[in-house]
């Protein structure tokens, strides 16, 4: 998802994999705690400084999508923060589930369960969103927004007279990717249902733009 070089051995895909692994290991009989802290050595933290905001948004989005796919409940939106911890060696990291900063610390109810920590063990691809066209072409969704239409300036172009010049727009949000029809002539449909306002996409959704279409997929 971040195709660039880092001054650290840690990659965003490492962080994403371990975050989802930690969520998957949580007790699912009650709403899970959606607040997480990634602990890094100062050197590794500095390597992510210029993309920190975007990285944390990507991790929160991945967690949200994972919870949705696995029917996991949570009382508030997912949040992820980075923290320097010199006890963590360079090239390693820890992810911990932390209490909400808004939680009343004076309450007499104390959770006896220790904080769960997941150190770096494996490397695997982070959750990635893409559109799969009917031609088989796969378009990875990057950036914060993109337009779909017949016009050459659109990020995704359909050479189809049934597709409007600027047919629809997709944008990344804290909840995941959403799509909005831009007043197209033939409309935009999700799984055969025409949309009239912005809709959140989930894995496997079939999107139609006039007579053209694509499948939304998370991998």
């Amino acid at each position: 998802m971040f195709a660039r070089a880092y001054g650290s051995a840690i990659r965003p895909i490492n962080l994403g994999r371990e975050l989802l692994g930690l969520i998957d290991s949580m007790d699912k009989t009650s709403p899970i705690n959606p607040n997480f802290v990634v602990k890094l050595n100062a050197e590794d933290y500095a390597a992510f400084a210029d993309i920190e905001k975007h990285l944390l948004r990507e991790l929160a989005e991945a967690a949200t999508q994972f919870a949705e796919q696995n029917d996991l409940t949570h009382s508030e939106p997912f949040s992820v923060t980075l923290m320097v911890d010199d006890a963590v060696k360079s090239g390693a990291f820890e992810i911990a589930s932390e209490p909400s900063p808004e939680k009343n610390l004076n309450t007499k109810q104390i959770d006896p369960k220790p904080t769960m920590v997941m150190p770096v063990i494996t490397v695997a691809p982070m959750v990635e969103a893409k559109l799969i066209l009917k031609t088989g072409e796969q378009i990875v969704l990057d950036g914060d927004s993109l337009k779909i239409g017949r016009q050459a300036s659109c990020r995704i172009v359909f050479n189809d007279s049934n597709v409007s010049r600027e047919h629809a727009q997709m944008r990344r949000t804290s909840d995941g990717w959403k799509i909005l029809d831009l007043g197209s002539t033939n409309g935009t449909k999700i799984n055969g249902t025409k949309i009239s306002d912005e809709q959140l996409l989930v894995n496997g959704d079939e999107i139609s733009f006039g007579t053209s279409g694509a499948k939304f997929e998370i991998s």
Side-chain angles (χ1 to χ4, degrees):
M1 58 185 290
F2 295 102
R4 56 178 295 170
Y6 293 93
S8 166
I10 301 171
R11 298 291 185 270
I13 57 175
N14 302 101
L15 301 178
R17 176 64 174 180
E18 295 305 314
L19 173 62
L20 299 189
L22 175 55
I23 295 172
D24 193 42
S25 69
M26 287 178 162
D27 180 5
K28 303 175 182 63
T29 59
S30 58
I32 62 175
N33 176 19
N35 303 291
F36 298 89
V37 173
V38 179
K39 300 177 182 180
L40 302 163
N41 182 276
E43 268 184 38
D44 294 313
Y45 177 84
F48 289 110
D50 61 337
I51 62 157
E52 180 177 356
K53 182 178 179 180
H54 190 60
L55 171 63
L56 297 182
R57 183 175 60 197
E58 290 278 359
L59 292 172
E61 177 185 333
T64 301
Q65 295 277 11
F66 182 82
E68 181 179 284
Q69 293 167 18
N70 292 276
D71 297 321
L72 305 179
T73 59
H74 46 99
S75 57
E76 54 189 289
F78 280 93
S79 68
V80 184
T81 57
L82 298 185
M83 184 179 78
V84 173
D85 186 341
D86 290 330
V88 178
K89 294 181 180 180
S90 179
F93 66 87
E94 294 179 350
I95 298 182
S97 172
E98 298 285 353
S100 169
E102 297 178 359
K103 187 174 182 179
N104 184 357
L105 298 180
N106 295 321
T107 180
K108 294 181 180 180
Q109 295 180 349
I110 300 176
D111 187 353
K113 297 180 181 179
T115 298
M116 188 175 295
V117 175
M118 297 287 287
V120 175
I121 299 175
T122 58
V123 177
M126 188 176 174
V127 169
E128 178 180 78
K130 58 189 174 184
L131 287 182
I132 303 177
L133 307 186
K134 292 181 179 179
T135 60
E137 180 183 359
Q138 298 187 13
I139 300 175
V140 175
L141 303 181
D142 50 18
D144 293 321
S145 66
L146 59 90
K147 286 185 178 180
I148 301 165
R150 198 173 71 251
Q151 188 166 274
S153 60
C154 292
R155 170 72 172 81
I156 300 175
V157 179
F158 287 102
N159 184 21
D160 182 347
S161 60
N162 291 293
V163 175
S164 296
R165 291 172 61 81
E166 289 191 345
H167 197 105
Q169 177 172 298
M170 296 181 65
R171 70 183 184 96
R172 188 197 308 271
T173 72
S174 59
D175 295 324
W177 279 94
K178 293 184 177 182
I179 188 166
L180 173 69
D181 184 79
L182 296 176
S184 66
T185 301
N186 294 307
T188 300
K189 296 180 180 179
I190 299 177
N191 301 321
T193 301
K194 191 172 183 178
I195 64 173
S196 57
D197 52 12
E198 191 173 50
Q199 297 290 320
L200 177 67
L201 294 168
V202 298
N203 189 41
D205 275 347
E206 295 284 350
I207 313 170
S208 299
F209 311 100
T211 54
S212 295
K215 182 178 181 180
F216 178 77
E217 188 172 285
I218 299 170
S219 59

